[in-house]
Amino acid sequence: MTTLQTAPEKAETVVRREALYFAFRNPKLLGGLAVVLILLAVGIFGPILDSGDPFAYSFTDAIQSPSGKHWFGTTTFGQDVFTQFVAGLRTTFEVGALGGGLTAIIGMVIGFVAGYRGGMIDEILNMLTNIVLVLPALAVLLIVNAYLGVRSVGMQALFIGLTSWPWVARAVRAQTFSLRTRDFVDLARLSAVPTRKIILREIAPNMSSYLFMTFILCFGGSILIASSLDFIGLGPTQGVSLGLMLQNAHQWSALTLGMWWWFIPPGAGITLIVGALYVANVGLDEVFNPKLRET
Amino acid sequence: MRRYFGRKLLIYGLTFFVAVTINWMIPRFMPGDPVASMLARANVTQPAAYEAMRSYYTGLFGLDQPIWQQYLNFWGRLLRGDFGTSIYLFPTPVSTVIKGAVPYSIGLVMPSVLLSWVVGNWAGAIAARRKVLDNTALPIGYVLTAMPHMWLGVLMAWGFGVILGWLPIAGGYSFSMRPSLTWAFAWDLVVHWFLPFLSLFLIALGGWAIGMRNMIIYELESDYSNYLSALGAPQRLIRRYAFRNAVLPQITGLALQLGVIVAGALVTEIVFSYPGLGSLILNAIKNKDFFLIQGAFLFIVLGVLIANFIIDIVYVVVDPRTRAGMVAGT
């Protein structure tokens, strides 16, 4: 009996160790992760070290190009761009984590239920998924934001989650569909394990790597949608985000005034975070999928 | 095949229904009195405009009627093409305002989407399995897909417009020109169109190239490819088969990306102050012009649905299996 119980566990740790082995040798994963972690550290610890108010006006310091005093220069109103950038990074990560997390969770729940239950429930959920899928998310967010005045990071993330889950649901549903007729799932069902437990204990762990990668993609996508919303003028009214910085720079014509230090850092920040996430994701794919490994 | 189209049309019909219902519901679920708060937010100073809007809103919301009657009235107005009156361009109906902006948006989005799709697929197919190209094309592709649309737009405007001074960076045509059917005006339009087009084209390019590359590699590793090469078929032929199979998910991908493309086009238009729907929406938001926002929302949804349907038709033409009815299609 003991051998029977330990054998799968041992196999599992071997698989995990193998994944770790390849993870530490994958330049894409390590590089992408390093960039994200560095920016995350700046976002978390930056505001503690650089305690300046991102909105502090200073007319003596207005329109300065980058220097030792102001690393990224100052805006038309003498606000320090670096202080704003650091505070904006934090907001951007928050939106990514909350919005991406919510997108992934809603998509997974609907995908699991539709794929596992099948039949009528699947038909209805599938129809719902297809409808939300063709509705352009930004257009819906536009009207919701305009009317309800969604003006906090949390609300922004909530609505991003509510509108961008369908592709996750579709992908998870397809995967669940292929797993639900496997023997171990049948066995669990015969042992009268409740549905919720079968999904959580039997099905989800078998696609955990896939789910994790989905979350990373949602994280990046959520950051991009949020920055677009900020840019249109539907961002959070309190605080800074990288998208709001871009909006301000555009609104006060930093472009025609040649103040490149105002609009380069926020866009570069978003591109770095999202790009690093995508590259890390490709690395993860190679770690989990032996077929893709470069030999 | 009839089943395939029937299902698609059902979904699109339902989607449009949901969109209209959202449009109807949100003002009514807004806390407080919608008419009063809209008028307060609209900040109208002309007394004539104020009175006209007040009676218009009250009539439109018809709050004294039962809720189902309000809903039916809303649909009735919509089907008659009545989207309400714009606030910031006061006496103009919303439908007229939108009709003026739509050609600019379509002229921008259509060419950039189609061209980036074709070029991206081509580049991705070439990059697949060619080490040197792959190592340069892939990172560029990732950077492009990770860029926020407005940032690439701003960079383009800065580089080509401000530093080099080659191209104009704002508007649909020069302020000194009046719209007319002359060559000078047409050229002016093209010059103003080019930068927003280029930035939309470039951003989408990366994603299509990466997608195609991955699909081609997947197809080249599949059984039929191995079988063909075992038979001694030339590499060119195998690649051609792989390409035909790999293009199918890319067509579906185009449909799935439409929402992102629309969003990108809106913010790109705002960067370049291009007189399409994006700039219109920005102005509507600034001026709290809710009817204009609602009208633009419905137009965008309608446009996306039509585009989806066209893609469905293309898919049937390209993939013979859907015609034979072997698969129901998704």
Side-chain angles (χ1 to χ4, degrees):
Chain A
M1 208 49 204
T2 43
T3 46
L4 266 178
Q5 271 176 346
T6 49
E9 268 171 33
K10 212 177 245 171
E12 210 167 85
T13 48
V14 167
V15 167
R16 258 186 216 150
R17 208 170 288 157
E18 196 195 63
L20 268 181
Y21 173 87
F22 283 106
F24 281 116
R25 273 156 197 78
N26 191 300
K28 284 175 194 146
L29 177 60
L30 292 180
L33 214 59
V35 172
V36 173
L37 287 181
I38 290 170
L39 287 172
L40 182 65
V42 172
I44 292 176
F45 300 112
I48 301 170
L49 299 176
D50 182 5
S51 54
D53 175 11
F55 297 111
Y57 292 126
S58 159
F59 288 100
T60 50
D61 274 356
I63 317 189
Q64 305 240 322
S65 51
S67 63
K69 192 177 169 211
H70 301 289
W71 288 4
F72 286 178
T74 58
T75 69
T76 314
F77 311 103
Q79 296 152 327
D80 188 88
V81 177
F82 185 71
T83 314
Q84 289 197 341
F85 178 74
V86 167
L89 266 183
R90 182 183 263 200
T91 318
T92 300
F93 271 109
E94 277 169 17
V95 164
L98 288 175
L102 207 62
T103 308
I105 289 173
I106 298 175
M108 282 173 198
V109 168
I110 292 189
F112 277 137
V113 172
Y116 181 74
R117 281 295 182 82
M120 202 57 204
I121 292 175
D122 181 34
E123 282 286 320
I124 293 168
L125 288 179
N126 208 10
M127 197 59 111
L128 182 72
T129 309
N130 280 325
I131 288 172
V132 183
L133 192 71
V134 276
L135 269 181
L138 191 91
V140 179
L141 289 175
L142 204 74
I143 171 168
V144 171
N145 261 0
Y147 264 111
L148 300 181
V150 178
R151 293 303 155 83
S152 71
V153 174
M155 283 301 259
Q156 198 180 32
L158 175 69
F159 282 104
I160 289 174
L162 285 178
T163 46
S164 40
W165 55 266
W167 70 268
V168 180
R170 268 172 72 134
V172 170
R173 172 181 171 270
Q175 295 260 337
T176 311
F177 222 69
S178 71
L179 280 176
R180 74 170 187 156
T181 46
R182 298 279 188 85
D183 290 342
F184 60 90
V185 179
D186 283 338
L187 184 66
R189 206 178 299 139
L190 283 177
S191 338
V193 179
T195 308
R196 199 170 54 87
K197 262 193 179 157
I198 294 180
I199 291 174
L200 285 178
R201 292 259 179 85
E202 310 291 336
I203 293 179
N206 276 295
M207 44 196 279
S208 56
S209 60
Y210 186 80
L211 296 179
F212 185 64
M213 280 156 47
T214 307
F215 168 67
I216 291 183
L217 290 181
C218 293
F219 197 108
S222 168
I223 288 178
L224 285 180
I225 300 177
S227 68
S228 294
L229 277 175
D230 292 353
F231 190 73
I232 299 180
L234 295 171
T237 34
Q238 258 124 45
V240 228
S241 74
L242 297 181
L244 282 175
M245 285 175 74
L246 274 176
Q247 188 226 355
N248 273 323
H250 183 250
Q251 196 175 353
W252 301 105
S253 25
L255 196 60
T256 35
L257 297 173
M259 296 164 70
W260 52 267
W261 57 86
W262 194 355
F263 58 78
I264 297 265
I270 297 173
T271 310
L272 265 179
I273 296 174
V274 179
L277 282 172
Y278 286 172
V279 171
N281 199 47
V282 175
L284 269 181
D285 207 5
E286 286 170 5
V287 169
F288 292 128
N289 188 349
K291 261 190 178 174
L292 296 172
R293 275 178 210 148
E294 287 174 26
T295 41
Chain B
M1 196 166 99
R2 181 177 289 173
R3 229 195 90 136
Y4 169 81
F5 277 118
R7 207 183 145 76
K8 289 284 181 191
L9 281 177
L10 176 68
I11 287 173
Y12 299 151
L14 275 176
T15 308
F16 187 67
F17 175 78
V18 168
V20 172
T21 308
I22 290 177
N23 227 353
W24 173 82
M25 218 163 65
I26 283 179
R28 282 166 180 76
F29 277 69
M30 198 168 61
D33 176 12
V35 176
S37 71
M38 275 176 98
L39 283 172
R41 283 208 225 177
N43 228 347
V44 188
T45 41
Q46 290 166 271
Y50 189 88
E51 246 339 286
M53 271 166 50
R54 172 162 200 89
S55 62
Y56 178 76
Y57 281 144
T58 321
L60 179 89
F61 285 108
L63 293 170
D64 48 335
Q65 287 168 320
I67 205 112
W68 60 268
Q69 184 73 43
Q70 291 179 34
Y71 187 60
L72 287 184
N73 287 349
F74 188 79
W75 268 100
R77 276 172 184 279
L78 201 72
L79 294 179
R80 269 177 274 130
D82 178 5
F83 289 90
T85 311
S86 167
I87 292 171
Y88 99 98
L89 298 165
F90 174 61
T92 331
V94 165
S95 48
T96 317
V97 177
I98 290 176
K99 260 179 218 152
V102 163
Y104 285 102
S105 286
I106 290 181
L108 197 58
V109 173
M110 283 260 276
S112 59
V113 168
L114 293 179
L115 209 63
S116 67
W117 191 81
V118 171
V119 176
N121 279 336
W122 173 78
I126 289 182
R129 288 295 182 222
R130 262 171 238 187
K131 214 64 217 193
V132 184
L133 258 174
D134 205 24
N135 284 341
T136 51
L138 209 58
I140 296 174
Y142 277 111
V143 171
L144 286 176
T145 40
M147 271 192 191
H149 280 85
M150 56 271 184
W151 195 54
L152 184 64
V154 169
L155 288 185
M156 288 269 168
W158 185 52
F160 291 105
V162 177
I163 293 183
L164 295 171
W166 288 351
L167 292 161
I169 57 168
Y173 48 84
S174 306
F175 290 117
S176 56
M177 291 239 180
R178 296 229 142 256
S180 57
L181 269 177
T182 58
W183 285 113
F185 182 72
W187 176 245
D188 201 47
L189 274 182
V190 170
V191 168
H192 280 82
W193 165 84
F194 188 69
L195 273 185
F197 159 78
L198 189 65
S199 55
L200 272 178
F201 167 74
L202 281 178
I203 285 220
L205 190 65
W208 297 130
I210 292 172
M212 192 54 171
R213 170 196 171 268
N214 294 345
M215 283 313 300
I216 285 269
I217 288 179
Y218 175 80
E219 294 292 340
L220 285 179
E221 275 171 1
S222 65
D223 289 343
Y224 73 87
S225 299
N226 285 333
Y227 180 63
L228 268 179
S229 60
L231 288 181
Q235 197 61 30
R236 257 187 82 82
L237 183 77
I238 302 174
R239 289 186 80 93
R240 207 157 67 213
Y241 275 107
F243 184 83
R244 281 202 62 172
N245 276 307
V247 128
L248 294 176
Q250 292 287 87
I251 295 176
T252 323
L254 186 60
L256 293 180
Q257 283 290 309
L258 281 173
V260 177
I261 291 167
V262 166
L266 294 183
V267 291
T268 306
E269 280 177 10
I270 291 173
V271 169
F272 291 96
S273 315
Y274 202 71
L277 279 177
S279 303
L280 202 65
I281 287 172
L282 182 72
N283 283 328
I285 289 170
K286 272 189 189 154
N287 296 290
K288 305 269 192 282
D289 192 343
F290 291 103
F291 286 111
L292 195 51
I293 299 176
Q294 288 186 302
F297 166 72
L298 273 190
F299 259 81
I300 292 173
V301 171
L302 208 59
V304 167
L305 291 182
I306 292 171
N308 260 303
F309 190 63
I310 294 173
I311 292 173
D312 289 338
I313 294 174
V314 170
Y315 197 93
V316 170
V317 171
V318 176
D319 186 359
R321 285 173 299 186
T322 45
R323 259 172 292 163
M326 279 163 66
V327 285
T330 43

